[in-house]
């Protein structure tokens, strides 16, 4: 996963410094150079904020190198956009409070753990859940209904994007609990898989499921296979062991178009597709 490129577009970090205050924002730049996708596992959500203990000086230098690369590799129109955006961020920093006295550079190994606990979006957790998924699938599928396909939707759109498969020990874990327990991994991955369609909806993305291995039937708009909406928080899900559930996340390279289906708010096929 370390060298995996999963974003269909490139994006740049833009950082400006004013009185030791770093203002960070994500500026999406479609159709740019593939080298910029090296940051594929950086969070695609739009945000601004002052530097804190979790934002190390080494990060600032890396972001500044990104700006330097963009100034030499981007078309003039894109450089102009970057410049204007940089000016607006500098103005925002000027209007804020100076917290330079509170800034303490921190090496990566000393930073606090990511949010999400054992389901935070890091390589070890992703690989562990993949291994568990394969073990559960091998033991139970297809005789046992232990595998379900997972789709993620921006609530404002009718596009349901396929992001992977979830597996569970059906004797001890419900489907709702399996999804809720791994909701953070699912949503984090979905926003990286589709940064434009889903990235800005982080925190409000909806997770829907279909019977396992039914991608073909859904692509053919089979009305007998509806999507079911899952809840973010389910009673008892926090007590589910990571060894009882698994997750196989979809991978899309720069050449991949991804897979989605159009459905109504109730997960049913809209009439114009029947």
């Amino acid at each position: 996963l370390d060298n995996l490129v999963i974003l269909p577009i490139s994006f740049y970090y833009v950082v400006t410094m004013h009185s030791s205050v770093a203002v960070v924002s994500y500026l999406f730049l479609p159709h740019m150079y593939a080298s910029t996708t090296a940051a594929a596992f950086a969070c695609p959500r739009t945000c601004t904020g002052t530097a804190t203990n979790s934002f190390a000086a080494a990060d600032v230098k890396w972001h500044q190198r990104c700006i330097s690369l963009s100034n030499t590799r981007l078309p003039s129109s894109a450089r102009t956009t970057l410049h204007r955006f940089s000016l607006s961020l500098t103005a925002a920093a000027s209007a804020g409070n100076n917290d330079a006295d509170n800034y303490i550079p921190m090496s990566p190994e000393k930073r606090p753990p990511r949010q999400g606990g054992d389901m935070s979006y890091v390589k070890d957790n992703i690989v562990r859940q993949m291994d568990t998924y394969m073990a559960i699938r091998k033991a139970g599928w297809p005789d046992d209904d232990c595998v379900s396909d997972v789709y993620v939707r921006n609530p404002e759109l009718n596009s349901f994007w396929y992001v992977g498969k979830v597996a569970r020990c059906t004797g001890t874990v419900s489907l709702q609990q399996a999804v809720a327990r791994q909701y953070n991994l699912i949503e984090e991955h979905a926003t990286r898989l589709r940064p434009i369609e889903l990235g800005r909806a982080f925190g409000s993305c909806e997770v829907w499921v279909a019977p396992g291995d039914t991608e073909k039937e859904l692509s053919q708009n089979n009305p007998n296979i509806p999507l079911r909406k899952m809840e973010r928080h389910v009673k008892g899900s926090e007590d589910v062991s990571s060894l009882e559930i698994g997750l196989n996340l979809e991978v899309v390279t720069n050449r991949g178009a991804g897979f989605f289906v159009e459905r109504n708010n109730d997960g049913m096929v809209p009439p114009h597709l029947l």
Side-chain angles (χ1 to χ4, degrees), residues 119-224:
M119 292 298 166
S120 59
Y121 195 76
V122 295
K123 178 181 177 181
D124 290 345
N125 294 339
I126 295 172
V127 172
R128 183 195 65 235
Q129 293 311 113
M130 167 66 85
D131 292 342
T132 306
Y133 166 86
M134 297 301 296
I136 294 175
R137 183 182 178 104
K138 182 178 180 180
W141 186 258
D143 298 329
D144 190 10
D145 187 23
C146 61
V147 174
S148 300
D149 294 344
V150 180
Y151 295 78
V152 175
R153 173 202 182 196
N154 181 336
E156 299 180 357
L157 304 174
N158 289 330
S159 301
F160 293 70
W161 289 92
Y162 173 77
V163 299
K165 299 175 183 288
V166 64
R168 61 192 173 92
C169 296
T170 55
T172 56
V173 182
S174 69
L175 177 56
Q176 292 81 358
Q177 289 176 329
V179 172
R181 180 74 166 84
Q182 302 175 101
Y183 210 103
N184 184 71
L185 275 177
I186 294 171
E187 187 175 33
E188 289 272 10
H189 186 75
T191 56
R192 288 161 173 79
L193 200 65
R194 308 305 308 181
I196 295 179
E197 298 88 353
L198 301 174
R200 296 185 183 277
F202 184 88
S204 62
C205 287
E206 298 175 354
V207 175
W208 297 67
V209 299
D213 296 348
T214 56
E215 298 96 319
K216 180 179 178 180
E217 289 82 355
L218 262 70
S219 69
Q220 295 172 341
N221 298 314
N222 186 334
N224 297 319

Side-chain angles (χ1 to χ4, degrees), residues 202-262:
F202 184 88
S204 62
C205 287
E206 298 175 354
V207 175
W208 297 67
V209 299
D213 296 348
T214 56
E215 298 96 319
K216 180 179 178 180
E217 289 82 355
L218 262 70
S219 69
Q220 295 172 341
N221 298 314
N222 186 334
N224 297 319
I225 306 181
L227 290 170
R228 295 171 53 196
K229 184 179 179 181
M230 298 287 103
E231 297 298 327
R232 183 181 295 266
H233 304 289
V234 176
K235 183 178 180 180
S237 62
E238 64 277 4
D239 298 324
V240 173
S241 169
S242 62
L243 298 178
E244 297 179 283
I245 52 177
L247 188 62
N248 179 6
L249 294 172
E250 174 75 340
V251 174
V252 177
T253 65
N254 282 348
R255 295 184 179 183
F259 170 60
F260 75 94
V261 295
E262 182 182 349

